[in-house]
Amino acid sequence: MDENIALVKNLQDDSNGDSFFMEDLNKIIKRLQPFDRFLVQRILIDGGKPGDILDEAKVLMAKDEGLSTDAKTDAQFAGYVYTRYNRVRKGLQKQMVAIGYGK
């Protein structure tokens, strides 16, 4: 997510409306916490499933001392990732609607 997400293949075409959308989306995503950016990129943009990114998510959580979960099993951790992703996705949708998209 540290790169310009407009460069993600098949995500943007050459029309002006899409470029403005991507600029606005990029601004919102830059304000997210690093773990949330990871979730948005890997699931929403890349099309992965929450269950497919669990190993990567564990590595990121281990590196970030500010993140913690009380998950004691893989199933609990998967639930945490899925729940957090849904919260981030809904927040992202609300912010996009607030600036005029989806009306």
Side-chain angles (χ1 to χ4, degrees), residues 42-79:
R42 294 291 287 120
I43 298 171
L44 188 64
I45 295 173
D46 293 346
K49 295 179 181 167
D52 296 339
I53 64 162
L54 293 179
D55 291 335
E56 290 177 79
K58 285 180 183 178
V59 170
L60 282 176
M61 287 195 75
K63 290 180 181 179
D64 190 342
E65 296 174 6
L67 289 175
S68 66
T69 176
D70 294 330
K72 294 176 180 31
T73 66
D74 286 343
Q76 288 174 335
F77 183 73

PDB file of all heavy atoms in Angstrom, residues 42-79:
ATOM      1  N   ARG A  42      -4.879  -6.332   0.339  1.00  0.00           N
ATOM      2  CA  ARG A  42      -4.855  -7.776   0.070  1.00  0.00           C
ATOM      3  C   ARG A  42      -6.242  -8.359  -0.186  1.00  0.00           C
ATOM      4  O   ARG A  42      -6.382  -9.280  -0.965  1.00  0.00           O
ATOM      5  CB  ARG A  42      -4.175  -8.518   1.219  1.00  0.00           C
ATOM      6  CG  ARG A  42      -2.698  -8.188   1.358  1.00  0.00           C
ATOM      7  CD  ARG A  42      -1.857  -8.741   0.216  1.00  0.00           C
ATOM      8  NE  ARG A  42      -1.758 -10.180   0.408  1.00  0.00           N
ATOM      9  CZ  ARG A  42      -2.183 -11.081  -0.469  1.00  0.00           C
ATOM     10  NH1 ARG A  42      -2.708 -10.710  -1.604  1.00  0.00           N
ATOM     11  NH2 ARG A  42      -2.074 -12.369  -0.227  1.00  0.00           N
ATOM     12  N   ILE A  43      -7.270  -7.806   0.466  1.00  0.00           N
ATOM     13  CA  ILE A  43      -8.604  -8.377   0.308  1.00  0.00           C
ATOM     14  C   ILE A  43      -9.430  -7.586  -0.699  1.00  0.00           C
ATOM     15  O   ILE A  43      -9.920  -8.133  -1.686  1.00  0.00           O
ATOM     16  CB  ILE A  43      -9.336  -8.459   1.662  1.00  0.00           C
ATOM     17  CG1 ILE A  43      -8.565  -9.378   2.618  1.00  0.00           C
ATOM     18  CG2 ILE A  43     -10.761  -8.961   1.479  1.00  0.00           C
ATOM     19  CD1 ILE A  43      -9.065  -9.359   4.049  1.00  0.00           C
ATOM     20  N   LEU A  44      -9.571  -6.292  -0.482  1.00  0.00           N
ATOM     21  CA  LEU A  44     -10.456  -5.495  -1.326  1.00  0.00           C
ATOM     22  C   LEU A  44      -9.861  -5.246  -2.709  1.00  0.00           C
ATOM     23  O   LEU A  44     -10.535  -5.411  -3.722  1.00  0.00           O
ATOM     24  CB  LEU A  44     -10.760  -4.161  -0.638  1.00  0.00           C
ATOM     25  CG  LEU A  44     -11.816  -3.281  -1.282  1.00  0.00           C
ATOM     26  CD1 LEU A  44     -13.167  -3.978  -1.244  1.00  0.00           C
ATOM     27  CD2 LEU A  44     -11.901  -1.949  -0.557  1.00  0.00           C
ATOM     28  N   ILE A  45      -8.598  -4.888  -2.763  1.00  0.00           N
ATOM     29  CA  ILE A  45      -7.992  -4.534  -4.046  1.00  0.00           C
ATOM     30  C   ILE A  45      -7.462  -5.770  -4.778  1.00  0.00           C
ATOM     31  O   ILE A  45      -7.750  -5.977  -5.947  1.00  0.00           O
ATOM     32  CB  ILE A  45      -6.883  -3.482  -3.855  1.00  0.00           C
ATOM     33  CG1 ILE A  45      -7.513  -2.179  -3.329  1.00  0.00           C
ATOM     34  CG2 ILE A  45      -6.143  -3.218  -5.169  1.00  0.00           C
ATOM     35  CD1 ILE A  45      -6.526  -1.119  -2.936  1.00  0.00           C
ATOM     36  N   ASP A  46      -6.684  -6.607  -4.076  1.00  0.00           N
ATOM     37  CA  ASP A  46      -6.097  -7.782  -4.721  1.00  0.00           C
ATOM     38  C   ASP A  46      -7.094  -8.926  -4.873  1.00  0.00           C
ATOM     39  O   ASP A  46      -6.864  -9.862  -5.633  1.00  0.00           O
ATOM     40  CB  ASP A  46      -4.883  -8.290  -3.939  1.00  0.00           C
ATOM     41  CG  ASP A  46      -3.710  -7.325  -3.972  1.00  0.00           C
ATOM     42  OD1 ASP A  46      -3.728  -6.392  -4.797  1.00  0.00           O
ATOM     43  OD2 ASP A  46      -2.772  -7.511  -3.171  1.00  0.00           O
ATOM     44  N   GLY A  47      -8.178  -8.888  -4.127  1.00  0.00           N
ATOM     45  CA  GLY A  47      -9.209  -9.915  -4.253  1.00  0.00           C
ATOM     46  C   GLY A  47      -8.956 -11.182  -3.465  1.00  0.00           C
ATOM     47  O   GLY A  47      -9.592 -12.199  -3.702  1.00  0.00           O
ATOM     48  N   GLY A  48      -8.033 -11.126  -2.511  1.00  0.00           N
ATOM     49  CA  GLY A  48      -7.784 -12.293  -1.679  1.00  0.00           C
ATOM     50  C   GLY A  48      -8.915 -12.513  -0.689  1.00  0.00           C
ATOM     51  O   GLY A  48      -9.770 -11.648  -0.500  1.00  0.00           O
ATOM     52  N   LYS A  49      -8.907 -13.667  -0.078  1.00  0.00           N
ATOM     53  CA  LYS A  49      -9.905 -13.970   0.944  1.00  0.00           C
ATOM     54  C   LYS A  49      -9.234 -13.848   2.304  1.00  0.00           C
ATOM     55  O   LYS A  49      -8.038 -14.121   2.429  1.00  0.00           O
ATOM     56  CB  LYS A  49     -10.452 -15.377   0.742  1.00  0.00           C
ATOM     57  CG  LYS A  49     -11.216 -15.520  -0.558  1.00  0.00           C
ATOM     58  CD  LYS A  49     -11.731 -16.909  -0.746  1.00  0.00           C
ATOM     59  CE  LYS A  49     -12.455 -16.987  -2.085  1.00  0.00           C
ATOM     60  NZ  LYS A  49     -12.731 -18.342  -2.479  1.00  0.00           N
ATOM     61  N   PRO A  50      -9.989 -13.449   3.325  1.00  0.00           N
ATOM     62  CA  PRO A  50      -9.375 -13.309   4.651  1.00  0.00           C
ATOM     63  C   PRO A  50      -8.611 -14.558   5.095  1.00  0.00           C
ATOM     64  O   PRO A  50      -7.526 -14.455   5.662  1.00  0.00           O
ATOM     65  CB  PRO A  50     -10.562 -13.022   5.566  1.00  0.00           C
ATOM     66  CG  PRO A  50     -11.548 -12.348   4.686  1.00  0.00           C
ATOM     67  CD  PRO A  50     -11.391 -13.030   3.341  1.00  0.00           C
ATOM     68  N   GLY A  51      -9.121 -15.731   4.780  1.00  0.00           N
ATOM     69  CA  GLY A  51      -8.442 -16.958   5.176  1.00  0.00           C
ATOM     70  C   GLY A  51      -7.121 -17.175   4.459  1.00  0.00           C
ATOM     71  O   GLY A  51      -6.239 -17.871   4.961  1.00  0.00           O
ATOM     72  N   ASP A  52      -6.969 -16.559   3.288  1.00  0.00           N
ATOM     73  CA  ASP A  52      -5.748 -16.723   2.500  1.00  0.00           C
ATOM     74  C   ASP A  52      -4.594 -15.856   2.983  1.00  0.00           C
ATOM     75  O   ASP A  52      -3.449 -16.087   2.596  1.00  0.00           O
ATOM     76  CB  ASP A  52      -6.011 -16.398   1.023  1.00  0.00           C
ATOM     77  CG  ASP A  52      -7.001 -17.352   0.386  1.00  0.00           C
ATOM     78  OD1 ASP A  52      -7.186 -18.468   0.927  1.00  0.00           O
ATOM     79  OD2 ASP A  52      -7.598 -16.975  -0.639  1.00  0.00           O
ATOM     80  N   ILE A  53      -4.879 -14.847   3.778  1.00  0.00           N
ATOM     81  CA  ILE A  53      -3.830 -13.906   4.182  1.00  0.00           C
ATOM     82  C   ILE A  53      -3.444 -14.045   5.651  1.00  0.00           C
ATOM     83  O   ILE A  53      -2.706 -13.224   6.167  1.00  0.00           O
ATOM     84  CB  ILE A  53      -4.263 -12.455   3.904  1.00  0.00           C
ATOM     85  CG1 ILE A  53      -5.476 -12.066   4.752  1.00  0.00           C
ATOM     86  CG2 ILE A  53      -4.529 -12.245   2.420  1.00  0.00           C
ATOM     87  CD1 ILE A  53      -5.689 -10.584   4.851  1.00  0.00           C
ATOM     88  N   LEU A  54      -3.914 -15.074   6.303  1.00  0.00           N
ATOM     89  CA  LEU A  54      -3.685 -15.205   7.746  1.00  0.00           C
ATOM     90  C   LEU A  54      -2.211 -15.276   8.113  1.00  0.00           C
ATOM     91  O   LEU A  54      -1.789 -14.661   9.095  1.00  0.00           O
ATOM     92  CB  LEU A  54      -4.433 -16.411   8.302  1.00  0.00           C
ATOM     93  CG  LEU A  54      -5.953 -16.298   8.279  1.00  0.00           C
ATOM     94  CD1 LEU A  54      -6.581 -17.568   8.829  1.00  0.00           C
ATOM     95  CD2 LEU A  54      -6.425 -15.084   9.044  1.00  0.00           C
ATOM     96  N   ASP A  55      -1.422 -16.001   7.348  1.00  0.00           N
ATOM     97  CA  ASP A  55       0.004 -16.099   7.660  1.00  0.00           C
ATOM     98  C   ASP A  55       0.682 -14.734   7.552  1.00  0.00           C
ATOM     99  O   ASP A  55       1.464 -14.353   8.419  1.00  0.00           O
ATOM    100  CB  ASP A  55       0.698 -17.114   6.746  1.00  0.00           C
ATOM    101  CG  ASP A  55       0.258 -18.543   7.035  1.00  0.00           C
ATOM    102  OD1 ASP A  55      -0.182 -18.820   8.171  1.00  0.00           O
ATOM    103  OD2 ASP A  55       0.358 -19.386   6.115  1.00  0.00           O
ATOM    104  N   GLU A  56       0.362 -13.988   6.489  1.00  0.00           N
ATOM    105  CA  GLU A  56       0.911 -12.643   6.332  1.00  0.00           C
ATOM    106  C   GLU A  56       0.439 -11.731   7.464  1.00  0.00           C
ATOM    107  O   GLU A  56       1.207 -10.920   7.973  1.00  0.00           O
ATOM    108  CB  GLU A  56       0.469 -12.037   5.002  1.00  0.00           C
ATOM    109  CG  GLU A  56       1.085 -12.667   3.783  1.00  0.00           C
ATOM    110  CD  GLU A  56       0.517 -12.047   2.520  1.00  0.00           C
ATOM    111  OE1 GLU A  56       0.955 -10.943   2.163  1.00  0.00           O
ATOM    112  OE2 GLU A  56      -0.378 -12.678   1.918  1.00  0.00           O
ATOM    113  N   ALA A  57      -0.818 -11.852   7.828  1.00  0.00           N
ATOM    114  CA  ALA A  57      -1.376 -11.021   8.896  1.00  0.00           C
ATOM    115  C   ALA A  57      -0.685 -11.298  10.233  1.00  0.00           C
ATOM    116  O   ALA A  57      -0.400 -10.372  10.990  1.00  0.00           O
ATOM    117  CB  ALA A  57      -2.880 -11.254   9.017  1.00  0.00           C
ATOM    118  N   LYS A  58      -0.395 -12.570  10.507  1.00  0.00           N
ATOM    119  CA  LYS A  58       0.305 -12.916  11.750  1.00  0.00           C
ATOM    120  C   LYS A  58       1.686 -12.282  11.794  1.00  0.00           C
ATOM    121  O   LYS A  58       2.111 -11.768  12.834  1.00  0.00           O
ATOM    122  CB  LYS A  58       0.424 -14.431  11.898  1.00  0.00           C
ATOM    123  CG  LYS A  58      -0.869 -15.096  12.301  1.00  0.00           C
ATOM    124  CD  LYS A  58      -0.691 -16.597  12.435  1.00  0.00           C
ATOM    125  CE  LYS A  58      -2.009 -17.263  12.766  1.00  0.00           C
ATOM    126  NZ  LYS A  58      -1.899 -18.716  12.859  1.00  0.00           N
ATOM    127  N   VAL A  59       2.379 -12.304  10.681  1.00  0.00           N
ATOM    128  CA  VAL A  59       3.710 -11.700  10.614  1.00  0.00           C
ATOM    129  C   VAL A  59       3.625 -10.200  10.859  1.00  0.00           C
ATOM    130  O   VAL A  59       4.411  -9.639  11.630  1.00  0.00           O
ATOM    131  CB  VAL A  59       4.382 -12.002   9.248  1.00  0.00           C
ATOM    132  CG1 VAL A  59       5.655 -11.196   9.070  1.00  0.00           C
ATOM    133  CG2 VAL A  59       4.662 -13.489   9.115  1.00  0.00           C
ATOM    134  N   LEU A  60       2.668  -9.535  10.221  1.00  0.00           N
ATOM    135  CA  LEU A  60       2.507  -8.090  10.417  1.00  0.00           C
ATOM    136  C   LEU A  60       2.146  -7.754  11.859  1.00  0.00           C
ATOM    137  O   LEU A  60       2.660  -6.786  12.413  1.00  0.00           O
ATOM    138  CB  LEU A  60       1.433  -7.538   9.480  1.00  0.00           C
ATOM    139  CG  LEU A  60       1.848  -7.339   8.043  1.00  0.00           C
ATOM    140  CD1 LEU A  60       0.662  -6.891   7.207  1.00  0.00           C
ATOM    141  CD2 LEU A  60       2.960  -6.315   7.943  1.00  0.00           C
ATOM    142  N   MET A  61       1.267  -8.541  12.444  1.00  0.00           N
ATOM    143  CA  MET A  61       0.873  -8.276  13.833  1.00  0.00           C
ATOM    144  C   MET A  61       2.046  -8.480  14.777  1.00  0.00           C
ATOM    145  O   MET A  61       2.186  -7.746  15.751  1.00  0.00           O
ATOM    146  CB  MET A  61      -0.308  -9.142  14.238  1.00  0.00           C
ATOM    147  CG  MET A  61      -1.598  -8.678  13.605  1.00  0.00           C
ATOM    148  SD  MET A  61      -3.042  -9.378  14.378  1.00  0.00           S
ATOM    149  CE  MET A  61      -3.115  -8.431  15.876  1.00  0.00           C
ATOM    150  N   ALA A  62       2.892  -9.450  14.505  1.00  0.00           N
ATOM    151  CA  ALA A  62       4.053  -9.707  15.355  1.00  0.00           C
ATOM    152  C   ALA A  62       5.047  -8.549  15.289  1.00  0.00           C
ATOM    153  O   ALA A  62       5.705  -8.235  16.286  1.00  0.00           O
ATOM    154  CB  ALA A  62       4.723 -11.006  14.942  1.00  0.00           C
ATOM    155  N   LYS A  63       5.127  -7.892  14.138  1.00  0.00           N
ATOM    156  CA  LYS A  63       6.053  -6.764  13.967  1.00  0.00           C
ATOM    157  C   LYS A  63       5.538  -5.479  14.595  1.00  0.00           C
ATOM    158  O   LYS A  63       6.317  -4.593  14.910  1.00  0.00           O
ATOM    159  CB  LYS A  63       6.307  -6.520  12.479  1.00  0.00           C
ATOM    160  CG  LYS A  63       7.114  -7.598  11.806  1.00  0.00           C
ATOM    161  CD  LYS A  63       7.308  -7.270  10.341  1.00  0.00           C
ATOM    162  CE  LYS A  63       8.084  -8.348   9.625  1.00  0.00           C
ATOM    163  NZ  LYS A  63       8.250  -8.039   8.198  1.00  0.00           N
ATOM    164  N   ASP A  64       4.233  -5.345  14.746  1.00  0.00           N
ATOM    165  CA  ASP A  64       3.619  -4.112  15.252  1.00  0.00           C
ATOM    166  C   ASP A  64       3.218  -4.296  16.705  1.00  0.00           C
ATOM    167  O   ASP A  64       2.244  -4.971  17.020  1.00  0.00           O
ATOM    168  CB  ASP A  64       2.402  -3.761  14.402  1.00  0.00           C
ATOM    169  CG  ASP A  64       1.848  -2.378  14.711  1.00  0.00           C
ATOM    170  OD1 ASP A  64       2.160  -1.824  15.782  1.00  0.00           O
ATOM    171  OD2 ASP A  64       1.108  -1.856  13.861  1.00  0.00           O
ATOM    172  N   GLU A  65       3.981  -3.682  17.600  1.00  0.00           N
ATOM    173  CA  GLU A  65       3.718  -3.814  19.034  1.00  0.00           C
ATOM    174  C   GLU A  65       2.398  -3.177  19.450  1.00  0.00           C
ATOM    175  O   GLU A  65       1.859  -3.494  20.503  1.00  0.00           O
ATOM    176  CB  GLU A  65       4.873  -3.220  19.830  1.00  0.00           C
ATOM    177  CG  GLU A  65       6.179  -3.964  19.628  1.00  0.00           C
ATOM    178  CD  GLU A  65       7.350  -3.284  20.316  1.00  0.00           C
ATOM    179  OE1 GLU A  65       7.123  -2.291  21.038  1.00  0.00           O
ATOM    180  OE2 GLU A  65       8.490  -3.742  20.124  1.00  0.00           O
ATOM    181  N   GLY A  66       1.870  -2.284  18.627  1.00  0.00           N
ATOM    182  CA  GLY A  66       0.609  -1.625  18.938  1.00  0.00           C
ATOM    183  C   GLY A  66      -0.613  -2.489  18.667  1.00  0.00           C
ATOM    184  O   GLY A  66      -1.721  -2.159  19.085  1.00  0.00           O
ATOM    185  N   LEU A  67      -0.416  -3.582  17.962  1.00  0.00           N
ATOM    186  CA  LEU A  67      -1.518  -4.487  17.641  1.00  0.00           C
ATOM    187  C   LEU A  67      -1.484  -5.689  18.563  1.00  0.00           C
ATOM    188  O   LEU A  67      -0.425  -6.238  18.837  1.00  0.00           O
ATOM    189  CB  LEU A  67      -1.413  -4.995  16.201  1.00  0.00           C
ATOM    190  CG  LEU A  67      -1.688  -4.008  15.098  1.00  0.00           C
ATOM    191  CD1 LEU A  67      -1.428  -4.648  13.744  1.00  0.00           C
ATOM    192  CD2 LEU A  67      -3.108  -3.515  15.154  1.00  0.00           C
ATOM    193  N   SER A  68      -2.643  -6.069  19.008  1.00  0.00           N
ATOM    194  CA  SER A  68      -2.729  -7.296  19.793  1.00  0.00           C
ATOM    195  C   SER A  68      -4.128  -7.871  19.652  1.00  0.00           C
ATOM    196  O   SER A  68      -5.086  -7.167  19.371  1.00  0.00           O
ATOM    197  CB  SER A  68      -2.413  -7.029  21.263  1.00  0.00           C
ATOM    198  OG  SER A  68      -3.394  -6.206  21.839  1.00  0.00           O
ATOM    199  N   THR A  69      -4.204  -9.148  19.837  1.00  0.00           N
ATOM    200  CA  THR A  69      -5.478  -9.836  19.811  1.00  0.00           C
ATOM    201  C   THR A  69      -5.432 -10.912  20.880  1.00  0.00           C
ATOM    202  O   THR A  69      -4.372 -11.425  21.202  1.00  0.00           O
ATOM    203  CB  THR A  69      -5.767 -10.452  18.422  1.00  0.00           C
ATOM    204  OG1 THR A  69      -6.978 -11.171  18.498  1.00  0.00           O
ATOM    205  CG2 THR A  69      -4.666 -11.353  17.957  1.00  0.00           C
ATOM    206  N   ASP A  70      -6.556 -11.217  21.445  1.00  0.00           N
ATOM    207  CA  ASP A  70      -6.618 -12.254  22.469  1.00  0.00           C
ATOM    208  C   ASP A  70      -6.854 -13.632  21.857  1.00  0.00           C
ATOM    209  O   ASP A  70      -7.177 -14.565  22.573  1.00  0.00           O
ATOM    210  CB  ASP A  70      -7.738 -11.936  23.471  1.00  0.00           C
ATOM    211  CG  ASP A  70      -7.436 -10.670  24.264  1.00  0.00           C
ATOM    212  OD1 ASP A  70      -6.238 -10.381  24.486  1.00  0.00           O
ATOM    213  OD2 ASP A  70      -8.389  -9.984  24.671  1.00  0.00           O
ATOM    214  N   ALA A  71      -6.678 -13.742  20.563  1.00  0.00           N
ATOM    215  CA  ALA A  71      -6.939 -15.008  19.882  1.00  0.00           C
ATOM    216  C   ALA A  71      -5.965 -16.082  20.355  1.00  0.00           C
ATOM    217  O   ALA A  71      -4.760 -15.885  20.366  1.00  0.00           O
ATOM    218  CB  ALA A  71      -6.821 -14.826  18.374  1.00  0.00           C
ATOM    219  N   LYS A  72      -6.526 -17.194  20.756  1.00  0.00           N
ATOM    220  CA  LYS A  72      -5.715 -18.312  21.228  1.00  0.00           C
ATOM    221  C   LYS A  72      -5.644 -19.437  20.195  1.00  0.00           C
ATOM    222  O   LYS A  72      -4.791 -20.308  20.281  1.00  0.00           O
ATOM    223  CB  LYS A  72      -6.264 -18.832  22.546  1.00  0.00           C
ATOM    224  CG  LYS A  72      -6.129 -17.818  23.682  1.00  0.00           C
ATOM    225  CD  LYS A  72      -6.762 -18.329  24.954  1.00  0.00           C
ATOM    226  CE  LYS A  72      -6.680 -17.383  26.126  1.00  0.00           C
ATOM    227  NZ  LYS A  72      -6.685 -15.992  25.888  1.00  0.00           N
ATOM    228  N   THR A  73      -6.522 -19.404  19.214  1.00  0.00           N
ATOM    229  CA  THR A  73      -6.535 -20.429  18.172  1.00  0.00           C
ATOM    230  C   THR A  73      -6.507 -19.749  16.804  1.00  0.00           C
ATOM    231  O   THR A  73      -6.761 -18.547  16.682  1.00  0.00           O
ATOM    232  CB  THR A  73      -7.805 -21.300  18.257  1.00  0.00           C
ATOM    233  OG1 THR A  73      -8.948 -20.479  17.957  1.00  0.00           O
ATOM    234  CG2 THR A  73      -7.956 -21.934  19.635  1.00  0.00           C
ATOM    235  N   ASP A  74      -6.219 -20.547  15.786  1.00  0.00           N
ATOM    236  CA  ASP A  74      -6.238 -20.017  14.420  1.00  0.00           C
ATOM    237  C   ASP A  74      -7.626 -19.533  14.026  1.00  0.00           C
ATOM    238  O   ASP A  74      -7.772 -18.534  13.327  1.00  0.00           O
ATOM    239  CB  ASP A  74      -5.752 -21.081  13.428  1.00  0.00           C
ATOM    240  CG  ASP A  74      -4.250 -21.303  13.503  1.00  0.00           C
ATOM    241  OD1 ASP A  74      -3.531 -20.448  14.069  1.00  0.00           O
ATOM    242  OD2 ASP A  74      -3.797 -22.351  12.993  1.00  0.00           O
ATOM    243  N   ALA A  75      -8.653 -20.238  14.480  1.00  0.00           N
ATOM    244  CA  ALA A  75     -10.029 -19.842  14.159  1.00  0.00           C
ATOM    245  C   ALA A  75     -10.368 -18.490  14.784  1.00  0.00           C
ATOM    246  O   ALA A  75     -11.017 -17.655  14.154  1.00  0.00           O
ATOM    247  CB  ALA A  75     -11.015 -20.905  14.629  1.00  0.00           C
ATOM    248  N   GLN A  76      -9.916 -18.266  16.001  1.00  0.00           N
ATOM    249  CA  GLN A  76     -10.165 -16.979  16.658  1.00  0.00           C
ATOM    250  C   GLN A  76      -9.406 -15.862  15.941  1.00  0.00           C
ATOM    251  O   GLN A  76      -9.932 -14.759  15.762  1.00  0.00           O
ATOM    252  CB  GLN A  76      -9.761 -17.040  18.127  1.00  0.00           C
ATOM    253  CG  GLN A  76     -10.689 -17.872  18.979  1.00  0.00           C
ATOM    254  CD  GLN A  76     -10.174 -18.020  20.399  1.00  0.00           C
ATOM    255  OE1 GLN A  76      -8.976 -17.922  20.671  1.00  0.00           O
ATOM    256  NE2 GLN A  76     -11.096 -18.276  21.323  1.00  0.00           N
ATOM    257  N   PHE A  77      -8.174 -16.150  15.540  1.00  0.00           N
ATOM    258  CA  PHE A  77      -7.393 -15.153  14.807  1.00  0.00           C
ATOM    259  C   PHE A  77      -8.050 -14.832  13.467  1.00  0.00           C
ATOM    260  O   PHE A  77      -8.141 -13.678  13.078  1.00  0.00           O
ATOM    261  CB  PHE A  77      -5.951 -15.620  14.604  1.00  0.00           C
ATOM    262  CG  PHE A  77      -5.097 -14.594  13.921  1.00  0.00           C
ATOM    263  CD1 PHE A  77      -4.691 -13.455  14.594  1.00  0.00           C
ATOM    264  CD2 PHE A  77      -4.719 -14.764  12.598  1.00  0.00           C
ATOM    265  CE1 PHE A  77      -3.912 -12.494  13.953  1.00  0.00           C
ATOM    266  CE2 PHE A  77      -3.951 -13.812  11.957  1.00  0.00           C
ATOM    267  CZ  PHE A  77      -3.538 -12.670  12.635  1.00  0.00           C
ATOM    268  N   ALA A  78      -8.531 -15.859  12.770  1.00  0.00           N
ATOM    269  CA  ALA A  78      -9.227 -15.652  11.499  1.00  0.00           C
ATOM    270  C   ALA A  78     -10.472 -14.791  11.711  1.00  0.00           C
ATOM    271  O   ALA A  78     -10.765 -13.906  10.909  1.00  0.00           O
ATOM    272  CB  ALA A  78      -9.602 -16.993  10.875  1.00  0.00           C
ATOM    273  N   GLY A  79     -11.192 -15.024  12.790  1.00  0.00           N
ATOM    274  CA  GLY A  79     -12.360 -14.213  13.115  1.00  0.00           C
ATOM    275  C   GLY A  79     -11.986 -12.766  13.362  1.00  0.00           C
ATOM    276  O   GLY A  79     -12.682 -11.843  12.935  1.00  0.00           O
TER     277      GLY A  79
END
